[in-house]
Amino acid sequence: MFLANAISWLRDLIWGAPMIVLLFGTHLFLTFRLRFIQRHTFRAIRMSAKADEGASGDISQFGALATALAATIGTGNIVGVSTAVALGGPGAVFWCWMTGVFGISTKYAESLLSVKYRVRLKDGSMAGGPMYTIERGLGIKWLAVLFAVFAVLATFGAGCTVQSHAITDVIRTSFGIDPAISGAVVTVLTAVVILGGVKQISRVCEKLVPFMALFYIVGAACILFLNRHFLLPALYTIVTSAFSLQSVAGGFLGSAMMIACKYGVARGLFSNESGLGTAPIAAASAQTKNPVRQAMVSMTGTFWDTVVVCAVTGIVIVSSQLRLPELYANAADDALTQIAFAQLPYVGSYVLAIALSIFAFTTILGWSYYGERCVTYLFGAKRVTPYRILFLAVLFYGAVADLGVIWTFSDLMNGLMAFPNLVSVLLLSGVIVKETRHYLWEKRLDENAPPVPEVDE
């Protein structure tokens, strides 16, 4: 009980107003310093579909993006948005969306640094991420080690037990299958994929990510069609609620706007992971000519995750609330998306169950790779196999156990990861601007960067 309370207190401290201000402030700072890099988003989307032939790296640019998206698009897009609307009102959707718009710049910046400071290991594979950025860019080894330790611990929480529990729970609810059986299947499928290394993970993610996103969007589109007469009122409600100054009894500073901002920003940041330092680990493996090219591709991940998927989920929920308000009376905070999808006769609940299961499974794959790279940084490649075995054991445990404090622990580790990463991004912002000026602003995007150095593990 004491341990649970201590972890909860630390989580609330880490994810309080200062962290939200730091994260969103970094988004704004980089947006203006990089001349609103978001304006290149659609150009970057076109680049993501093309391979950089002959470039250094382990997987394609799209493979790196798919791996990062696999870990990013998950329960936060479904459950996270639901709780944001339940706790912050319709206006939370707007602020969630804004974190995606401005978070694109941070995802660009951290991915650029990851590729610039990546290294080649003895086996020929690429390794990078905030731990290498902090060590090689800032020369602060102890801070790099802290990031890697927090990241490894986070993989067992947010990237493992939480996701396997979400899969088995939704399968039990929708199909009546025992969690032990579905948990065993998930564990075996995960083992088959992750034991093949980053190339196998990338190949699976390249196929699953577009399918899962399209599958979910099509289901959401069907609901939006049912709610078509409430779409404009829903958008109006979202925007006006986001800026409402109406007093709310017991609310955060007593303002509906502040409540919406608090929960919308917090859930948006949790969903797109911009600033946490996870996606850059995948970006470092990409076959790319220079850091700016992959940074541009990587930043589209935040666009797809929050600007598109989270926004669609939010509009589905709010339009459904306007159309059938009686269904949402006394609804649980995390059940709003489920109620909305239940509007689709016979198949709605199954569509959401399948989508959530695939989202969670690909999140497991992406986070397992993040953990492997951090273990390699801390202990060398020889410790990757023991890590994989432990990861699979914890994965099955999460499927059948009551998670309890693990949810809180996961949030805490995510917050602790963010701080070292944001420090490196802000202190190296001059390097980010210099690289962007050279390759993007001075039109040298096709130029090759210097060779990647080889290091001892």
Side-chain angles (χ1 to χ4, degrees), residues 200-254:
Q200 177 76 351
I201 293 173
S202 172
R203 281 193 292 268
V204 173
C205 290
E206 282 184 11
K207 294 177 175 61
L208 277 181
V209 167
F211 167 77
M212 72 175 186
L214 182 62
F215 182 79
Y216 180 72
I217 293 296
V218 168
C222 293
I223 298 171
L224 292 176
F225 177 76
L226 293 176
N227 299 344
R228 59 190 180 279
H229 298 302
F230 295 86
L231 293 184
L232 289 180
L235 293 173
Y236 177 80
T237 301
I238 288 170
V239 175
T240 55
S241 298
F243 296 97
S244 173
L245 297 178
Q246 180 180 356
S247 176
V248 178
F252 182 69
L253 297 184

Side-chain angles (χ1 to χ4, degrees), residues 3 54 56 90 146 153 165 183 220 231 263 270 370-371 375 384 412 445:
L3 179 61
S56 299
L146 276 182
L153 293 174
H165 189 82
L231 293 184
Y263 288 106
F270 182 81
Y370 297 159
V375 167
V384 168
L412 174 61
L445 268 181

Side-chain angles (χ1 to χ4, degrees), residues 109-395:
E110 58 186 354
S111 298
L112 185 155
L113 292 173
S114 183
V115 176
K116 178 174 176 58
Y117 292 110
R118 66 181 177 173
V119 298
R120 188 185 298 276
L121 303 179
K122 281 188 174 181
D123 63 2
S125 64
M126 295 290 185
M131 54 280 194
Y132 292 96
T133 296
I134 295 168
E135 180 181 351
R136 301 187 64 232
L138 295 177
I140 309 176
K141 175 77 172 179
W142 64 268
L143 192 61
V145 169
L146 276 182
F147 173 86
V149 170
F150 293 146
V152 171
L153 293 174
T155 64
F156 293 117
C160 183
T161 53
V162 168
Q163 305 301 328
S164 62
H165 189 82
I167 293 173
T168 56
D169 187 58
V170 75
I171 289 177
R172 176 187 57 80
T173 303
S174 301
F175 304 101
I177 298 176
D178 190 311
I181 297 174
S182 54
V185 172
V186 170
T187 302
V188 171
L189 290 176
T190 302
V192 170
V193 178
I194 69 174
L195 293 178
V198 66
K199 293 184 179 180
Q200 177 76 351
I201 293 173
S202 172
R203 281 193 292 268
V204 173
C205 290
E206 282 184 11
K207 294 177 175 61
L208 277 181
V209 167
F211 167 77
M212 72 175 186
L214 182 62
F215 182 79
Y216 180 72
I217 293 296
V218 168
C222 293
I223 298 171
L224 292 176
F225 177 76
L226 293 176
N227 299 344
R228 59 190 180 279
H229 298 302
F230 295 86
L231 293 184
L232 289 180
L235 293 173
Y236 177 80
T237 301
I238 288 170
V239 175
T240 55
S241 298
F243 296 97
S244 173
L245 297 178
Q246 180 180 356
S247 176
V248 178
F252 182 69
L253 297 184
S255 166
M257 174 181 172
M258 294 305 296
I259 293 176
C261 183
K262 175 185 177 181
Y263 288 106
V265 170
R267 299 305 179 187
L269 293 173
F270 182 81
S271 173
N272 62 52
E273 297 181 10
S274 292
L276 294 190
T278 47
I281 298 175
S285 298
Q287 296 169 346
T288 186
K289 293 179 179 178
N290 57 67
V292 170
R293 289 182 69 91
Q294 183 55 38
M296 291 178 66
V297 171
S298 295
M299 76 182 191
T300 64
T302 298
F303 171 81
W304 292 120
D305 175 86
T306 308
V307 179
V308 176
V309 179
C310 282
V312 167
T313 302
I315 297 170
V316 162
I317 291 173
V318 176
S319 61
S320 298
Q321 286 178 322
L322 293 178
R323 177 171 171 250
L324 299 166
E326 65 278 4
L327 296 182
Y328 291 87
N330 302 316
D333 294 347
D334 59 355
L336 305 192
T337 312
Q338 183 178 354
I339 294 172
F341 269 80
Q343 294 179 60
L344 293 177
Y346 307 109
V347 299
S349 297
Y350 299 119
V351 168
L352 185 62
I354 293 170
L356 183 58
S357 297
I358 298 175
F359 282 176
F361 178 67
T362 55
T363 297
I364 292 168
L365 300 182
W367 274 85
S368 70
Y369 176 68
Y370 297 159
E372 287 184 17
R373 275 303 177 227
C374 290
V375 167
T376 300
Y377 175 80
L378 292 169
F379 309 111
K382 293 181 180 179
R383 298 293 184 270
V384 168
T385 298
Y387 166 78
R388 288 173 175 170
I389 294 172
L390 180 60
F391 185 89
L392 292 171
V394 174
L395 181 71

Side-chain angles (χ1 to χ4, degrees), residues 11 15 20 76-77 79-85 87-88 92 95-97 99 260-273 305-306 310 333 407 411:
R11 188 275 311 273
W15 280 107
I20 293 177
N77 300 85
V79 179
V81 176
S82 174
T83 56
V85 175
L87 298 172
W95 293 111
C96 181
W97 184 77
T99 64
C261 183
K262 175 185 177 181
Y263 288 106
V265 170
R267 299 305 179 187
L269 293 173
F270 182 81
S271 173
N272 62 52
E273 297 181 10
D305 175 86
T306 308
C310 282
D333 294 347
W407 280 96
D411 287 344

